[in-house]
Amino acid sequence: MAQGPWQESQDASQPAPGGPRQVQARGAVAGATAVADAPQTHNQFQLLRQRRFAPYFVVQALGAFNDNVFRQAIIGLLAVMVAAGAMDGATRGIYTQLAPAIFILPYFLFSATAGQIAEKLEKARLIRITTAMEIGIMTLAAAGFLLGSMPVLLVALFATGLQSTLFGPVKYSILPNVLRPEELTGGNGLVEMGTSIAILLGMLFGGLILALAGDQGALVAGLAVIGLAILGNVVSRMIPPVPAAAPGLRIAWNPIPESLKVWRLTRKQLAVRNSVLGVSWFWFTGTLLTGNLPVYAETHLGGTPTLYVFALAVFSVGVGVGSLLCEKLSARTVEIGLVPMGAFGMSACIAHLALAPAIPGTGLDVRGFISQPGAWRIVGDLAGIGLFSGFFVVPLFALIQSRVPRGELSRAIAGMNIQNAVFIVLAAVGGVALQQLLDWSIPQLFLALSIASIAVALYIFTIVPEFAMRFLSWLLVRTLYRLRVHGVERHVPDEGPALIVCNHVSYMDALILAATIPRPVRFVMYHRIFNIPVMRWIFRTAKAIPIAGAREDPALMKRAFDAVDAALEAGEIVGIFPEGKLTRDGEIAAFKSGVERILRRASDAGRPVPVVPMALKGMWHSMWSHNDSRMGRMRVPRRFRAHVEVVAGAPVEGRAATAEGLERQVRQLRGDAA
């Protein structure tokens, strides 16, 4: 009888050299006791009730809110000064153009230093320092408002940019320390939602202060920004300690070489490099859209300044909703398959907006605008741009946080912030240049942006096919099945190597498991399944490991075992189907001894690997099992959108695991639900 792919062969390979690796227990993220002691969450909104996340969320939202209150209050003060004759229109224009440049300049000068500081210091302490800085900065700003001094306000604005630069790296690098891998997407969604809504409300509040407070506007604006800064500092003191990622790091202060160093950290991994490019393009798109929205609302929508605020609100709410939906759509994994959908959806909505006919009339308020033909199309486009932007950017942040080593994450985010600042400047300058030099209209500018967005997306997804592969697999799994998951978050380790063993029912098994496990999994599969057309591209891109039986292809079998051992040594998760083939009758076949060979080889090298038994339930009567004939699989499946369960059991210590024992556990997990 021919040996299956997992049958032990006579020429067992010798253990590969390698030092011991610490196996990370579930929830014990390196150096982060906040995660180890955190309660399980099954809904991103539950994070808002937990101390490990809620104070941080409030602090970052208050910071974004206060920044925009301050900046809009400056714009309001300029309008008051022009109306009072204290400043002419030309001077106002100079200050209006100078202010954004002053705010963004610190990102170029100090991001590298900020990244190093965020790596070296305990993160909660650094947040308290930056919020204390904000109190001093806003006190200076209040003096500028009371004195009506634009130079003082511009100095305060530069200091605000510096404070934001220092806070930026810790804002995102803290999340992997306080959230589990399955919470990263939801946590990032909340942060992006909070930031988007805080920016919108800050702009509204800051713009109304001087208008509603009358002669006391300067005083009210000053007190408001100071009060918000104090509130942020008070809340920051509730953030639990988060250990420094690299306390021994020696800070280098020269900004130019250090900026290049932190930027290079974003380019060490291809997927991270292109994720950073995607985030920067998100900022480019947002800058070009929101920067031209006031004029677009007036010239193309026939609106007043109130209509611009409405359009901005629709876009911002869309971003917030899209960000929040990411966790639901990704099933609590870092699902970068959402990124292509977000990219092309965003581009399509921008193009649709660019081609929308102008709304007739002038001076329309929101009610007057809504009553016009074609208005709801524009509202839908703005909401769609925001919605798909959330799908686009949230998984990118989660991927960066999950793939960059903890000791480099703050500096990598600092490098990303430098690149973001470059893209923001390019968007602002490029938009003005195209309109002034080529006499482009804003709809033409939006159409060009849509085309450029598609080009950038195609570049990213061509260079890193993992994005497109994950999108295709996500689409297949979510279209064909309704998944229920039990025990995966509790039993699959957050870090370090692990071996997943599961029953094998259908050709879709690997994709279903990949869709439910928060970390990337290297699946080992029979080479004939690996080489199925179309699926082959998905499996190869996912770095699946093809295997054959010892008598069928001994060389391929040896290469497979070597690849499995190398993946485990590198701290990856490997998934295997120890039956060696798809079930022909819906029952679980005997597990072959190859699983013991994998575990023995790792143990002999001094790095034992935990084994997580898993079971698929309900797949036998779904599509692509041997319950259907080959011709039967070509028709519409008898159970389209079948209910499928994925169940994980408690990990087994590698030295104690046997093929027979693991088979017994998988049978118990599956029960009678074939």
Side-chain angles (χ1 to χ4, degrees):
M1 187 174 185
Q3 290 178 320
W6 291 110
Q7 185 67 37
E8 179 76 83
S9 63
Q10 296 298 317
D11 57 339
S13 301
Q14 295 298 315
R21 177 181 292 274
Q22 181 69 33
V23 177
Q24 203 71 26
R26 179 70 187 167
V29 177
T33 55
V35 173
D37 299 331
Q40 292 283 343
T41 62
H42 300 284
N43 182 307
Q44 65 201 98
F45 294 105
Q46 293 178 18
L47 293 172
L48 297 176
R49 298 197 297 268
Q50 297 177 16
R51 189 184 169 200
R52 60 186 171 121
F53 181 81
Y56 152 80
F57 173 81
V58 173
V59 168
Q60 65 86 25
L62 281 173
F65 180 77
N66 203 15
D67 281 354
N68 284 274
V69 168
F70 175 41
R71 291 157 70 180
Q72 289 300 310
I74 291 177
I75 294 174
L77 180 62
L78 287 171
V80 169
M81 294 174 72
V82 170
M87 180 182 295
D88 57 39
T91 305
R92 175 190 177 184
I94 292 173
Y95 279 125
T96 302
Q97 296 179 54
L98 190 60
I102 288 176
F103 180 80
I104 205 168
L105 181 61
Y107 283 91
F108 291 101
L109 298 178
F110 304 115
S111 282
T113 304
Q116 296 175 82
I117 293 173
E119 218 84 89
K120 186 176 180 65
L121 296 185
E122 189 268 312
K123 297 187 188 305
R125 178 189 173 199
L126 179 56
I127 293 175
R128 291 194 295 272
I129 291 172
T130 56
T131 53
M133 286 177 57
E134 187 177 3
I135 297 174
I137 293 166
M138 291 308 164
T139 302
L140 177 63
F145 283 124
L146 291 172
L147 296 173
S149 171
M150 286 307 300
V152 172
L153 288 170
L154 291 180
V155 170
L157 186 62
F158 178 85
T160 301
L162 172 61
Q163 187 260 348
S164 297
T165 302
L166 290 172
F167 183 69
V170 74
K171 174 180 178 178
Y172 288 106
S173 65
I174 194 174
L175 289 177
N177 293 277
V178 300
L179 301 178
R180 297 183 176 89
E182 65 271 12
E183 296 170 334
L184 267 183
T185 297
N188 276 284
L190 286 170
V191 170
E192 289 308 306
M193 179 276 296
T195 301
S196 179
I197 301 303
I199 289 173
L200 172 65
L201 295 178
M203 293 177 69
L204 292 174
F205 185 66
L208 291 173
I209 285 179
L210 294 172
L212 297 180
D215 294 339
Q216 301 300 314
L219 176 62
V220 172
L223 291 175
V225 294
I226 292 175
L228 288 167
I230 292 173
L231 180 60
N233 183 257
V234 170
V235 177
S236 73
R237 298 177 184 278
M238 303 177 190
I239 300 174
V242 179
L249 181 69
R250 182 176 179 181
I251 297 177
W253 300 96
N254 192 328
I256 296 177
E258 292 308 311
S259 295
L260 291 174
K261 285 182 182 178
V262 298
W263 180 70
R264 290 192 187 105
L265 290 177
T266 68
R267 306 178 68 79
K268 290 175 66 174
Q269 300 180 51
L270 197 56
V272 172
R273 186 192 78 182
N274 284 280
S275 296
V276 169
L277 175 60
V279 172
S280 297
W281 188 256
F282 166 79
W283 281 104
F284 182 96
T285 301
T287 300
L288 205 57
L289 283 170
T290 58
N292 286 280
L293 205 53
V295 178
Y296 179 78
E298 181 179 348
T299 61
H300 205 72
L301 306 184
T304 60
T306 305
L307 188 58
Y308 154 65
V309 174
F310 171 73
L312 183 63
V314 170
F315 171 75
S316 299
V317 171
V319 173
V321 172
S323 299
L324 292 177
L325 284 175
C326 284
E327 183 187 59
K328 179 68 174 177
L329 293 173
S330 66
R332 295 171 61 80
T333 63
V334 179
E335 183 51 82
I336 60 174
L338 295 176
V339 177
M341 182 173 69
F344 293 115
M346 184 171 61
S347 300
C349 289
I350 295 172
H352 199 244
L353 177 66
L355 298 174
I359 300 295
T362 56
L364 298 175
D365 59 11
V366 175
R367 180 177 296 179
F369 166 73
I370 292 297
S371 65
Q372 299 296 316
W376 283 107
R377 165 183 172 167
I378 292 172
V379 171
D381 287 337
L382 290 170
I385 295 169
L387 182 78
F388 286 109
S389 294
F391 294 165
F392 180 70
V393 76
V394 167
L396 293 178
F397 275 124
L399 182 141
I400 293 166
Q401 292 159 351
S402 64
R403 299 283 180 91
V404 176
R406 295 285 168 79
E408 298 177 355
L409 181 56
S410 293
R411 284 173 290 168
I413 291 173
M416 179 182 70
N417 287 342
I418 294 172
Q419 183 169 300
N420 291 346
V422 171
F423 274 65
I424 290 170
V425 171
L426 288 175
V429 174
V432 172
L434 289 172
Q435 292 179 72
Q436 296 295 323
L437 299 179
L438 301 180
D439 198 28
W440 281 16
S441 66
I442 293 179
Q444 287 175 318
L445 192 64
F446 287 172
L447 186 60
L449 176 63
S450 172
I451 296 170
S453 295
I454 293 174
V456 170
L458 289 174
Y459 171 77
I460 293 174
F461 306 145
T462 302
I463 298 298
V464 186
E466 182 182 358
F467 288 95
M469 177 277 296
R470 289 295 305 184
F471 172 66
L472 184 56
S473 61
W474 174 83
L475 191 63
L476 282 170
V477 171
R478 302 299 166 186
T479 300
L480 297 176
Y481 304 103
R482 282 175 284 185
L483 300 180
R484 285 178 288 185
V485 183
H486 308 281
V488 171
E489 295 180 5
R490 187 165 63 255
H491 296 310
V492 176
D494 287 346
E495 291 188 340
L499 188 68
I500 304 290
V501 297
C502 188
N503 58 316
H504 204 7
V505 190
S506 80
Y507 294 105
M508 293 290 289
D509 292 352
L511 296 184
I512 289 174
L513 292 177
T516 58
I517 296 173
R519 293 173 57 192
V521 182
R522 298 281 303 277
F523 283 100
V524 183
M525 58 183 59
Y526 187 48
H527 70 105
R528 296 189 187 277
I529 297 177
F530 180 89
N531 289 314
I532 292 174
V534 180
M535 304 298 287
R536 170 188 172 89
W537 177 76
I538 295 177
F539 295 144
R540 183 183 294 277
T541 304
K543 298 182 180 179
I545 301 170
I547 193 169
R551 296 181 182 177
E552 184 181 9
D553 190 338
L556 179 58
M557 184 179 187
K558 183 179 184 305
R559 288 198 301 271
F561 277 102
D562 290 343
V564 168
D565 191 64
L568 293 173
E569 185 177 14
E572 297 180 283
I573 292 183
V574 175
I576 66 172
F577 302 101
E579 295 166 86
K581 59 183 178 180
L582 295 182
T583 177
R584 293 281 177 177
D585 56 7
E587 296 301 318
I588 298 176
F591 280 17
K592 300 186 183 300
S593 58
V595 62
E596 297 176 358
R597 172 180 171 182
I598 291 172
L599 297 172
R600 184 169 61 250
R601 180 170 175 174
S603 295
D604 290 347
R607 39 183 177 81
V609 174
V611 188
V612 181
M614 295 183 68
L616 287 164
K617 304 170 68 173
M619 286 297 295
W620 176 242
H621 296 290
S622 69
M623 192 178 187
W624 299 114
S625 73
H626 281 312
N627 189 32
D628 265 328
S629 65
R630 183 173 297 180
M631 290 300 295
R633 286 193 294 272
M634 297 176 67
R635 61 169 170 78
V636 175
R638 65 168 65 92
R639 289 187 63 199
F640 188 72
R641 294 285 291 159
H643 287 281
V644 173
E645 292 186 62
V646 181
V647 186
V652 179
E653 206 281 322
R655 292 188 181 93
T658 63
E660 182 180 354
L662 292 170
E663 178 195 332
R664 184 167 54 251
Q665 287 183 279
V666 172
R667 287 181 180 275
Q668 291 173 350
L669 290 171
R670 197 205 68 167
D672 297 327

